[in-house]
Amino acid sequence: LFRSSPEESAEMPEAGRLLLPAMAEVEDPKMKQLSGAPEPARGRYPHCVVWTPIPMLTWLFPIIGHMGICTSSGVIRDFAGPYYVSEDNMAFGRPVKYWKLDPGKVCAGGPNGWDTAVHEASEEYKHRMHNLCCDNCHSHVALALNLMRYNGSSSWNMVKLCFLMLLHSKYVSFGGFLKTWLPFLLLLGVALTVWLTLHLR
């Protein structure tokens, strides 16, 4: 009484075949997050050193700014002031450029060496006074890289990071580039105008 007709039996395999392509097109929404690529719109920079201008200071010296280091999930940790290391709330605003590092070059700390080093450096700097010239945000990042022995080195320091960031970093947008260099160029233009005015009378 309940047997399928020959026509219905012939149609069933074809219907099954039609469903398979639709199922194959379904994508995991977390795949992009797991790829490790920087996502400036979300403020996530996995395995990156990030940088943002410091008002007035960067206007005069464009290579000097505020630096932080990110966890493997992209959360920013930065030494933002005396006895304070912020998390996911970078001092002086969102990063304007980043330097993507290779987690495969971590030589200490085991499989979680990157995150362990970032955590330990952050805990250490929660007990330190901020000193603009000697012990600052760059020093915090340098300690994390030294703890993980990034690229086999334990000699990272603020000067080395300053110049390598200049050489290897990428701006998140053209607006980030302008935010870094435009104030300096405007001040330079004003200074040149004043100098020419005084010396070409």
Side-chain angles (χ1 to χ4, degrees):
L1 292 174
F2 296 98
R3 286 185 299 177
S4 301
S5 65
E7 293 79 11
E8 291 175 343
S9 299
E11 290 177 358
M12 287 179 66
E14 182 178 356
R17 287 196 296 271
L18 290 173
L19 288 174
L20 289 176
M23 293 173 64
E25 292 174 359
V26 177
E27 295 182 356
D28 187 347
K30 296 182 180 180
M31 286 302 293
K32 188 173 182 181
Q33 296 178 10
L34 296 175
S35 67
E39 296 183 72
R42 297 181 60 246
R44 291 290 179 267
Y45 301 85
H47 302 113
C48 288
V49 175
V50 292
W51 187 96
T52 195
I54 300 174
M56 298 184 69
L57 183 59
T58 306
W59 299 351
L60 298 173
F61 308 101
I63 67 170
I64 298 176
H66 183 63
M67 183 177 286
I69 188 167
C70 304
T71 65
S72 61
S73 62
V75 176
I76 301 170
R77 304 301 307 273
D78 62 297
F79 185 35
Y83 314 111
Y84 178 64
V85 178
S86 70
E87 181 173 343
D88 210 19
N89 185 26
M90 194 174 188
F92 306 106
R94 296 168 70 92
V96 301
K97 60 181 180 178
Y98 63 90
W99 175 20
K100 176 72 173 175
L101 300 182
D102 181 1
K105 293 183 178 181
V106 174
C107 298
N112 297 318
W114 180 281
D115 285 335
T116 299
V118 172
H119 173 75
E120 289 180 359
S122 299
E123 291 301 306
E124 171 65 26
Y125 270 82
K126 287 180 181 180
H127 304 284
R128 294 198 188 187
M129 171 62 72
H130 190 283
N131 185 304
L132 185 63
C133 298
C134 302
D135 202 15
N136 52 37
C137 55
H138 289 59
S139 308
H140 165 244
V141 174
L143 177 60
L145 295 177
N146 285 331
L147 288 172
M148 68 178 77
R149 293 190 65 247
Y150 184 78
N151 204 24
S153 174
S154 57
S155 61
W156 294 91
N157 57 62
M158 67 176 75
V159 176
K160 184 176 181 178
L161 279 171
C162 182
F163 285 101
L164 288 178
M165 189 73 183
L166 183 65
L167 292 174
H168 299 295
S169 62
K170 295 181 180 180
Y171 287 93
V172 299
S173 65
F174 183 66
F177 173 82
L178 290 179
K179 187 176 180 180
T180 302
W181 291 97
L182 185 59
F184 170 75
L185 294 175
L186 290 174
L187 289 174
L188 183 62
V190 170
L192 287 174
T193 301
V194 172
W195 186 87
L196 291 172
T197 300
L198 294 175
H199 290 80
L200 295 179
R201 286 182 178 181

